[in-house]
Amino acid sequence: DDRTGAVMTIRRNASHLLLLINDILDFSKIEAGKLSIESVPVGVRETLSRAVDMMQDRAADSGLRLHYSMAPDVPAWCLGDPLRLGQILMNLLSNAIKFTPRGEVGLEASRDGEMLLLRVTDTGIGMSQAQMARLFLPFEQADGTTTRRFGGTGLGLAITRRLVELLGGTISVTSEPDKGSCF
């Protein structure tokens, strides 16, 4: 029925608008130095599982395999902000799914000294060196043309980078066109 389609379109557009508003608010808080970060015990396995579970349907709808693994030496708990860590993982997984037309997306946890090392990998479209150089800048996207195939504000990875830094970490990317990416 036409009304059902219209309601679904309105719902999808409203969700997109809410995400946009939240990104702008988070970015503004970060830039103003007003975003508070907690330092509380975070269950590593639970946090990773929750992020993967939340993205599983989206990956399946795209025909992708979504998996995660945790190295044996990763502690059960770490200090951090569970809300912001979840936000980081959701953004990276969402991007990996968006830019992967076939294959798989993975989330891996390991330990690097006292730091938790998280990797989000995909078999997606990948990026050139020039695209990667602009990737973490606000309002920039790997494909900035007006006819780009993928939507978004260009704020997600800028926010992600700042959140990672506020949590005491760093973020980097390796990628090759048509060979996928690793964040």
Side-chain angles (χ1 to χ4, degrees):
D1 152 273
D2 286 341
R3 284 184 283 184
T4 302
V7 169
M8 295 299 286
T9 299
I10 291 168
R11 185 180 205 113
R12 185 174 51 252
N13 289 341
S15 293
H16 179 71
L17 185 57
L18 180 60
L19 290 172
L20 174 64
I21 290 168
N22 285 334
D23 276 353
I24 291 169
L25 289 172
D26 280 347
F27 185 74
S28 298
K29 285 181 196 173
I30 290 168
E31 289 301 300
K34 300 291 185 188
L35 187 74
S36 60
I37 298 291
E38 291 187 326
S39 184
V40 298
V42 177
V44 177
R45 184 173 299 279
E46 176 185 324
T47 302
L48 269 68
S49 290
R50 186 179 316 116
V52 169
D53 288 348
M54 290 176 70
M55 299 305 294
Q56 199 65 255
D57 286 344
R58 190 164 162 205
D61 289 348
S62 297
L64 303 173
R65 180 174 169 257
L66 176 58
H67 60 89
Y68 83 98
S69 63
M70 201 160 86
D73 65 340
V74 172
W77 298 89
C78 69
L79 283 179
D81 186 320
L83 175 67
R84 299 307 175 182
L85 182 56
Q87 184 177 0
I88 290 165
L89 292 173
M90 295 300 290
N91 187 47
L92 292 175
L93 289 169
S94 176
N95 280 352
I97 291 167
K98 183 191 321 186
F99 295 106
T100 303
R102 64 188 166 286
E104 63 184 40
V105 171
L107 172 58
E108 304 165 12
S110 59
R111 190 175 179 158
D112 184 8
E114 293 298 310
M115 299 294 284
L116 181 62
L117 179 60
L118 301 173
R119 283 189 180 93
V120 174
T121 59
D122 65 60
T123 58
I125 62 173
M127 293 173 279
S128 68
Q129 291 293 327
Q131 289 171 318
M132 286 187 290
R134 297 188 325 267
L135 201 57
F136 294 105
L137 299 174
F139 304 105
E140 291 284 337
Q141 295 179 317
D143 181 2
T145 64
T146 56
T147 58
R148 66 180 187 259
R149 293 180 292 160
F150 307 102
T153 61
L155 286 175
L157 287 175
I159 291 169
T160 296
R161 184 193 77 205
R162 294 300 299 273
L163 290 176
V164 167
E165 290 169 351
L166 288 169
L167 289 171
T170 59
I171 187 168
S172 61
V173 61
T174 58
S175 185
E176 285 185 56
D178 301 318
K179 294 190 178 178
S181 301
C182 176
F183 285 83

